Amino acid sequence: MDRLVQLWGASGLAQMNIGSAVMLGIALLLLYLAIHRRFEPLLLVPIGFGGLLANIPGAGLAYSALDKALHGANAELLAALGALLSSAADPASIAAALEVAPEALHFQALQLARDTGLSDGMLYSFYSVAIGSGVAPLVIFMGVGAMTDFGPLLANPRTLLLGAAAQFGIFATVLGAVGLTSLGITDFSLAQSAAIGIIGGADGPTAIYVSSILAPDLLGAIAVAAYSYMALVPLIQPPIMRALTTSAERQIVMVQLREVSRREKITFPLMLLILVALLLPDAAPLLGMLCFGNLMRECGVVERLSAAAQNALINITTIFLGLAVGSKLVADKFLDVNTLGILALGIVAFSVGTASGVLLAKLMNRLGGTAINPLIGSAGVSAVPMAARVSNKMGLEEDPHNFLLMHAMGPNVAGVIGSAVAAGVMITLVG
């Protein structure tokens, strides 16, 4: 009988609490949205499944050995950790001491926990390798670069301004997060506000990269918000685009794009990296991998490397990145008012970014020059290629012969560059 009682006590059901149950439900919801509704399935399937694994009570898959020591509450180990950190021997006091402890002392505490037989959970190891090191978002950016054609942007350089305008959503959201904190509704630091603002770039890898540096505790909520709203671009953008344009503006036919030479396509990523990295070194990691991937695509002499970056490498990295993000979907970090604030600010970020691109396109038409269909301004948010497809779809609704897809790809890829530059600005200013 004692064995049965011991077995029951060690089961997940016996250790289940309301927070874990709610998070398991949220993880299942993400899987439903990914599988049934096809909302960003390549990311939401591994994120949702990672959330399931992270919230299995007693498994500790998302915890380090030190986290397990605090949750397990072994009296002897807690006493040793308290002595090491000069704090009381209870989990709350030790956790507070660890937050301000120097890195060397933190490592000693971790090693002390490992010496007692505790080990890092599987998802924690994935997180440390994929996101903690910053590798996974950078590898994905390299793959994105290998899949991106900058030809439409080079054929119509003015669309670079539309991509830049859409980044206003990022900075408006930072101000919104600071405002909510000043009103006492949420509790975001300036660094956390900057990380939340990157959601407005509609670029998942950039949001994850910046969050891992500026706000690791908010990574799960920020990643889920970023990818969820990216999937909802076809629902979020059209009402804003219709409200800000007239039927006549939506019917503007743009001139055929010129053909871009191979020399231009090879030179562009090199010049872009050199110019931006010299001015903003903190943007060099993201932008460097984007440009490297694009150079492999355009140079024509490393087809095997380009194919690997576009397919196998980015797919494998996406799996582990998603599971690592899912490890952050635990109740104590996700179920609070701040998460609701992040979700609310995310929709504001997308809306402001969409509106800024459309309004700038209208302004450019007022100032003269070749006419621009304002619908392509919304593609400045870097949800590639979904935002460009939305612009094209709305143009076809007004005129079945007005194909805007290639024109919209200009601001769309410019948005990718813009979000990477904005990330560098945020890291430089508040990192």
Side-chain angles (χ1 to χ4, degrees):
M1 187 63 184
D2 290 341
R3 295 291 186 183
L4 290 176
V5 172
Q6 181 181 2
L7 182 62
W8 169 252
S11 71
L13 289 174
Q15 300 178 58
M16 180 72 73
N17 55 44
I18 294 176
S20 296
V22 171
M23 290 309 302
L24 288 172
I26 291 175
L28 290 172
L29 175 62
L30 293 177
L31 289 172
Y32 167 79
L33 293 174
I35 297 170
H36 184 69
R37 303 303 297 271
R38 296 187 179 276
F39 285 3
E40 290 291 330
L42 292 180
L43 257 297
L44 289 189
V45 166
I47 288 175
F49 199 83
L52 278 180
L53 293 174
N55 288 283
I56 297 175
L61 297 178
Y63 294 134
S64 68
L66 189 53
D67 292 329
K68 290 181 179 180
L70 297 180
H71 285 84
N74 179 288
E76 185 177 342
L77 179 55
L78 290 177
L81 289 172
L84 176 66
L85 298 167
S86 301
S87 71
D90 63 88
S93 299
I94 294 173
L98 284 170
E99 288 183 2
V100 297
E103 187 175 345
L105 199 58
H106 197 283
F107 179 78
Q108 291 180 38
L110 180 60
Q111 196 59 47
L112 184 62
R114 288 172 176 167
D115 289 343
T116 63
L118 296 174
S119 60
D120 297 332
M122 174 184 72
L123 293 178
Y124 178 84
S125 298
F126 288 169
Y127 179 86
S128 299
V129 173
I131 297 179
S133 66
V135 167
L138 297 177
V139 172
I140 288 182
F141 239 62
M142 179 176 67
V144 170
M147 292 187 286
T148 299
D149 179 10
F150 285 120
L153 174 61
L154 295 172
N156 189 0
R158 291 199 303 162
T159 58
L160 182 65
L161 298 176
L162 301 179
Q167 307 313 310
F168 279 116
I170 293 176
F171 298 99
T173 306
V174 174
L175 296 177
V178 172
L180 288 178
T181 299
S182 66
L183 293 174
I185 299 173
T186 57
D187 184 21
F188 297 129
S189 66
L190 185 57
Q192 290 173 331
S193 298
I196 294 167
I198 294 295
I199 295 174
D203 191 324
T206 303
I208 292 172
Y209 180 77
V210 174
S211 300
S212 67
I213 296 173
L214 300 181
D217 288 345
L218 301 180
L219 181 94
I222 290 174
V224 168
Y227 281 108
S228 297
Y229 289 137
M230 284 171 63
L232 292 172
V233 160
L235 298 178
I236 296 172
Q237 288 194 321
I240 300 171
M241 296 160 70
R242 289 192 187 94
L244 296 177
T245 58
T246 65
S247 178
E249 288 174 327
R250 294 194 291 271
Q251 293 180 45
I252 292 176
V253 177
M254 298 182 64
V255 298
Q256 182 69 31
L257 294 174
R258 70 174 179 87
E259 185 176 349
V260 179
S261 69
R262 178 169 174 264
R263 178 178 295 179
E264 287 177 285
K265 290 186 176 182
I266 292 175
T267 304
F268 178 72
L270 296 173
M271 295 301 298
L272 175 66
L273 174 62
I274 292 171
L275 291 175
V276 175
L278 288 178
L279 293 173
L280 195 63
D282 281 324
L286 282 171
L287 204 59
M289 297 306 288
L290 178 74
C291 292
F292 176 54
N294 188 251
L295 181 63
M296 288 194 294
R297 169 196 173 93
E298 302 296 353
C299 70
V301 295
V302 288
E303 288 89 351
R304 287 170 54 191
L305 299 184
S306 178
Q310 294 180 46
N311 296 287
L313 186 57
I314 195 172
N315 289 336
I316 292 170
T317 306
T318 297
I319 292 172
F320 289 101
L321 177 69
L323 290 171
V325 170
S327 73
K328 292 297 183 179
L329 299 182
V330 289
D332 57 346
K333 295 176 181 176
F334 194 87
L335 295 179
D336 58 19
V337 175
N338 287 344
T339 298
L340 295 177
I342 290 170
L343 295 175
L345 289 167
I347 191 71
V348 171
F350 268 69
S351 301
V352 172
T354 298
S356 299
V358 172
L359 292 174
L360 181 62
K362 289 165 67 75
L363 177 62
M364 291 170 69
N365 284 337
R366 290 288 183 90
L367 296 177
T370 306
I372 294 177
N373 191 312
L375 293 177
I376 73 168
S378 66
V381 297
S382 57
V384 181
M386 192 179 302
R389 289 174 180 166
V390 170
S391 299
N392 184 59
K393 182 174 181 290
M394 289 195 64
L396 291 174
E397 288 175 357
E398 296 292 332
D399 179 355
H401 304 290
N402 190 11
F403 294 92
L404 297 173
L405 182 59
M406 292 310 297
H407 298 285
M409 286 303 298
N412 210 189
V413 297
V416 177
I417 298 171
S419 65
V421 172
V425 171
M426 294 297 187
I427 294 171
T428 299
L429 295 179
V430 301

